[in-house]
Amino acid sequence: MLPPTITKSQLLSNFDTFVFDADGVLWTGDIPIPGAAEWINTLLDDPEKSVFITTNNSTKTLEQYMKKVKKMRFGRLGRENLLSPTIVLCDYFKQNSDKFENQYIYLIGVENLKKSLEEGGGVKCFGTGPDHKDNYTDGDFINEVDVKSKIPKAVVVSFDSHFSYPKLMKAANFLADPLVEFLVCNEDSTFPGPVPGMILPETGPWSAAIQNVSGRKPDIVFGKPHEQLANFLKSRVQAGKFNSERTVMFGDRLDTDMMFGKNNGFTTVWMQTGVNTLLDIELARKNGESTKIPDFTCRFSEF
Amino acid sequence: MLPPTITKSQLLSNFDTFVFDADGVLWTGDIPIPGAAEWINTLLDDPEKSVFITTNNSTKTLEQYMKKVKKMRFGRLGRENLLSPTIVLCDYFKQNSDKFENQYIYLIGVENLKKSLEEGGGVKCFGTGPDHKDNYTDGDFINEVDVKSKIPKAVVVSFDSHFSYPKLMKAANFLADPLVEFLVCNEDSTFPGPVPGMILPETGPWSAAIQNVSGRKPDIVFGKPHEQLANFLKSRVQAGKFNSERTVMFGDRLDTDMMFGKNNGFTTVWMQTGVNTLLDIELARKNGESTKIPDFTCRFSEF
């Protein structure tokens, strides 16, 4: 059964803070969802409303993200409207600068994330790019993997298509020291698209591998549905203005977006334009996974 | 508190089937444990006793294993005394030859395992060796990973120091078909040694990564502490002669060896010569993990 529909006027009168997932909600890949840009503009026009776009994707710099948004005619969205694990992680490093400033981070992630963390977080990252068994001699490669000369303050785990055995080994050995923090950008298992029917692994499997070998759980996960992002979002709303009960989360994924909303006391609106389907909602209902079940649905094209 | 000591004469009078872990129990790396070879020989001399060496390691062929055993003066051990996930997996393929004979297996594992499975299991394996993002062009590599042209009957997961993003992608896409079996050799998180203080990942983390992205649990895990190995072991004892209550398991690891014994109704003897320490036993007691707590301990050098 489809969740009940919520109308534009109900949304405008009941909520002050509007949180959106991006891919599958405002656009699909590079194609805008009909009505999404107009709806975002309506909200941005109202000085009483706060608008946030929340993505779990850590593969673009903020500059690249702003370009993408402009290209799709969401040009009035500013940097202050965008939230991602990268931005929250940079803020975390800055808030804890006594520990992290100019310190080493072992980064499982892409070059763009390295650039963002170094510029925005004030840390020095190492480990990005290829690091395969082939880089070491065959017989003794295990003894050659350097897990001793540069000990980082944290291991940061994000999407990395170069992940490898030596990287896993380094992460496990660094994390054997309980003082080295284990920070995970997001735990999505897969990306949505871009090739229909093809499964594309995201950060989740590498995080699972490192948890398995290190015996540790992440100290912080920065993306949806975790609280670090919610706390950051609250801090971005004008002081004294944030109210969970007057906050609404629009998303397509049950396990990130809907859970993020529900875990933080927001009203949730499920969009039918993304990854999850009505069948997934029925399954969540059957399994009693109440935090995945949306309160409402709607279509921006009908606003 | 150390488990109570069991004596040689108690062992000989109370048990008919003697199961041993190898590394940490009979030898450490290439160094035999004092008294182990003499004890094994005593048991092999007795026609009423069955003796099995059980390893979770799938990186050597049976021939290489026999050579290693001979070099360490366990020369009277024969092929029939050795059990590993590889041997049980070959048996599984043979038992199900209508499905598997001459069929493709996507193998995450070493060349030796490929050789063993092809010769002993009658299957054709593909996927071993390097398969990195670097093998594909940068912009579109995801579209270039071939997950369509050769669909295997099973994905087999074992230790692989070449594991990579394209391999994870292939495993995930193959396993999207519920008819493709998900077979895991063992789930040990780490190897014991050989470099003191250095963590060396085994199969566990790659299995965890594939489970995370595919949303599937393995159909069968072949190594300790799982039942497939126990069933195979029972089938190797002379018909009508196997009795769980008269079977004893010697091991050093709580989460594989002791659990394997306990899960199958064997008496367990913990050896102090391997990976786990008395502290680990205290921790298991504190956490109420009763299947990890050994019944007895002993030293072969005192026999």
Side-chain angles (χ1 to χ4, degrees):
Chain A
M1 209 180 57
L2 207 63
T5 298
I6 193 163
T7 65
K8 182 178 173 182
S9 65
Q10 283 170 324
L11 285 164
L12 288 171
S13 54
N14 291 321
F15 302 101
D16 304 320
T17 304
F18 293 75
V19 189
F20 295 86
D21 176 45
D23 211 354
V25 173
L26 302 181
W27 51 77
T28 313
D30 288 323
I31 304 161
I33 300 278
E38 295 76 1
W39 171 231
I40 293 287
N41 286 341
T42 302
L43 294 170
L44 289 170
D45 280 343
D46 186 337
E48 297 298 311
K49 307 296 187 198
S50 299
V51 178
F52 297 104
I53 315 300
T54 56
T55 172
N56 268 0
N57 193 317
S58 304
T59 63
K60 286 190 175 59
T61 63
L62 195 50
E63 287 65 35
Q64 290 173 315
Y65 216 78
M66 290 310 299
K67 260 192 207 163
K68 177 183 164 107
V69 158
K70 278 208 167 46
K71 215 171 110 187
M72 278 189 294
R73 299 175 188 276
F74 289 83
R76 288 174 53 205
L77 280 169
R79 298 167 68 106
E80 69 283 2
N81 302 108
L82 296 178
L83 295 184
S84 72
T86 312
I87 295 167
V88 186
L89 186 51
C90 284
D91 180 69
Y92 176 76
F93 286 143
K94 284 291 186 195
Q95 297 284 335
N96 297 278
S97 61
D98 51 329
K99 178 171 183 184
F100 289 110
E101 195 172 22
N102 280 317
Q103 297 300 311
Y104 283 114
I105 302 298
Y106 182 61
L107 177 59
I108 292 164
V110 301
E111 294 298 329
N112 277 337
L113 181 56
K114 177 181 180 173
K115 193 168 173 256
S116 300
L117 295 182
E118 293 194 336
E119 287 175 6
V123 294
K124 294 180 285 188
C125 298
F126 69 103
T128 52
D131 184 1
H132 303 309
K133 176 181 157 65
D134 327 27
N135 300 357
Y136 303 83
T137 61
D138 214 43
D140 301 312
F141 95 99
I142 281 156
N143 306 327
E144 291 172 42
V145 176
D146 177 11
V147 297
K148 296 269 165 75
S149 74
K150 198 190 275 181
I151 305 294
K153 290 282 173 190
V155 173
V156 168
V157 183
S158 177
F159 167 73
D160 182 2
S161 54
H162 287 297
F163 196 62
S164 64
Y165 189 85
K167 288 192 181 195
L168 178 67
M169 234 184 108
K170 287 176 185 173
N173 282 281
F174 294 147
L175 292 172
D177 178 350
L179 294 178
V180 175
E181 292 190 19
F182 182 11
L183 307 176
V184 174
C185 282
N186 68 296
E187 292 198 312
D188 298 37
S189 293
T190 59
F191 282 108
V195 185
M198 186 182 265
I199 295 165
L200 212 61
E202 230 263 48
T203 308
W206 297 150
S207 171
I210 295 169
Q211 290 180 49
N212 180 287
V213 72
S214 70
R216 286 180 61 171
K217 296 275 162 210
D219 294 306
I220 306 175
V221 182
F222 288 84
K224 293 173 280 184
H226 297 275
E227 66 175 342
Q228 197 81 16
L229 184 68
N231 292 340
F232 186 73
L233 184 150
K234 291 171 194 176
S235 76
R236 280 277 182 107
V237 178
Q238 207 184 323
K241 280 232 171 173
F242 184 83
N243 180 350
S244 300
E245 288 176 16
R246 290 188 60 83
T247 300
V248 58
M249 171 77 208
F250 298 80
D252 64 318
R253 289 179 82 116
L254 306 184
D255 62 347
T256 50
D257 303 326
M258 296 299 100
M259 271 180 80
F260 179 67
K262 205 42 86 181
N263 286 347
N264 292 291
F266 309 161
T267 293
T268 53
V269 181
W270 175 65
M271 311 309 293
Q272 302 161 54
T273 40
V275 170
N276 284 138
T277 65
L278 193 53
L279 270 176
D280 298 315
I281 296 180
E282 300 294 356
L283 193 67
R285 274 208 191 91
K286 212 177 117 191
N287 294 338
E289 299 171 303
S290 59
T291 56
K292 290 187 181 175
I293 302 168
D295 299 313
F296 297 102
T297 186
C298 71
R299 285 186 194 279
F300 301 144
S301 59
E302 292 166 5
F303 276 10
Chain B
M1 208 181 56
L2 205 63
T5 299
I6 193 162
T7 65
K8 183 180 173 183
S9 64
Q10 283 171 325
L11 285 163
L12 289 172
S13 54
N14 290 321
F15 303 102
D16 303 320
T17 304
F18 292 77
V19 189
F20 296 85
D21 176 45
D23 212 354
V25 172
L26 302 181
W27 53 75
T28 313
D30 287 323
I31 302 162
I33 300 278
E38 293 77 3
W39 171 232
I40 294 287
N41 286 342
T42 301
L43 295 170
L44 289 170
D45 280 341
D46 187 338
E48 296 299 311
K49 307 297 188 198
S50 298
V51 178
F52 297 104
I53 315 300
T54 56
T55 172
N56 268 0
N57 193 316
S58 303
T59 62
K60 287 190 175 55
T61 63
L62 196 50
E63 287 65 35
Q64 290 173 315
Y65 217 77
M66 292 309 299
K67 260 192 208 164
K68 178 184 164 107
V69 159
K70 277 207 170 45
K71 215 171 110 187
M72 277 190 294
R73 301 176 187 275
F74 289 83
R76 289 174 51 204
L77 282 169
R79 298 167 69 106
E80 70 282 3
N81 302 109
L82 296 178
L83 295 184
S84 72
T86 313
I87 294 168
V88 186
L89 186 51
C90 285
D91 180 70
Y92 176 76
F93 286 143
K94 284 292 184 193
Q95 297 283 335
N96 297 279
S97 61
D98 53 327
K99 178 170 184 187
F100 289 110
E101 196 172 21
N102 281 316
Q103 298 299 310
Y104 283 115
I105 301 299
Y106 182 61
L107 178 60
I108 292 164
V110 299
E111 293 298 328
N112 277 335
L113 181 57
K114 178 179 179 174
K115 194 168 174 256
S116 301
L117 295 181
E118 294 195 334
E119 288 175 6
V123 294
K124 293 181 285 189
C125 298
F126 69 103
T128 51
D131 183 2
H132 303 309
K133 176 180 157 65
D134 326 27
N135 300 355
Y136 305 83
T137 61
D138 213 44
D140 300 311
F141 94 99
I142 281 155
N143 306 327
E144 292 173 40
V145 176
D146 176 10
V147 297
K148 297 268 165 74
S149 73
K150 197 190 276 181
I151 304 294
K153 290 282 172 188
V155 173
V156 168
V157 184
S158 177
F159 167 73
D160 183 1
S161 53
H162 287 296
F163 197 61
S164 64
Y165 190 84
K167 289 192 180 196
L168 179 68
M169 236 185 109
K170 287 177 186 175
N173 282 280
F174 295 146
L175 291 172
D177 177 350
L179 294 178
V180 175
E181 293 190 18
F182 182 10
L183 307 176
V184 174
C185 282
N186 69 295
E187 292 198 311
D188 297 39
S189 294
T190 59
F191 282 109
V195 185
M198 185 182 265
I199 295 166
L200 212 62
E202 230 264 47
T203 308
W206 297 150
S207 171
I210 295 168
Q211 290 181 49
N212 180 286
V213 72
S214 70
R216 285 181 61 172
K217 294 278 163 208
D219 293 305
I220 306 176
V221 182
F222 287 84
K224 294 172 283 183
H226 298 275
E227 65 175 346
Q228 196 82 14
L229 184 68
N231 292 341
F232 185 73
L233 184 150
K234 291 171 194 177
S235 76
R236 281 277 182 108
V237 177
Q238 207 184 324
K241 280 233 172 173
F242 185 82
N243 180 350
S244 299
E245 290 178 11
R246 290 189 60 83
T247 300
V248 57
M249 172 77 205
F250 298 82
D252 64 317
R253 288 178 82 116
L254 306 184
D255 61 348
T256 51
D257 302 325
M258 297 299 99
M259 272 181 80
F260 178 66
K262 206 43 87 181
N263 286 347
N264 290 290
F266 309 161
T267 293
T268 52
V269 181
W270 175 65
M271 310 309 293
Q272 301 163 53
T273 40
V275 170
N276 284 139
T277 65
L278 193 53
L279 270 176
D280 298 314
I281 297 180
E282 300 295 355
L283 194 66
R285 275 209 189 91
K286 210 176 121 190
N287 294 339
E289 298 170 301
S290 59
T291 56
K292 288 187 181 175
I293 301 167
D295 299 314
F296 296 102
T297 186
C298 71
R299 284 184 194 279
F300 300 144
S301 58
E302 292 167 5
F303 276 10

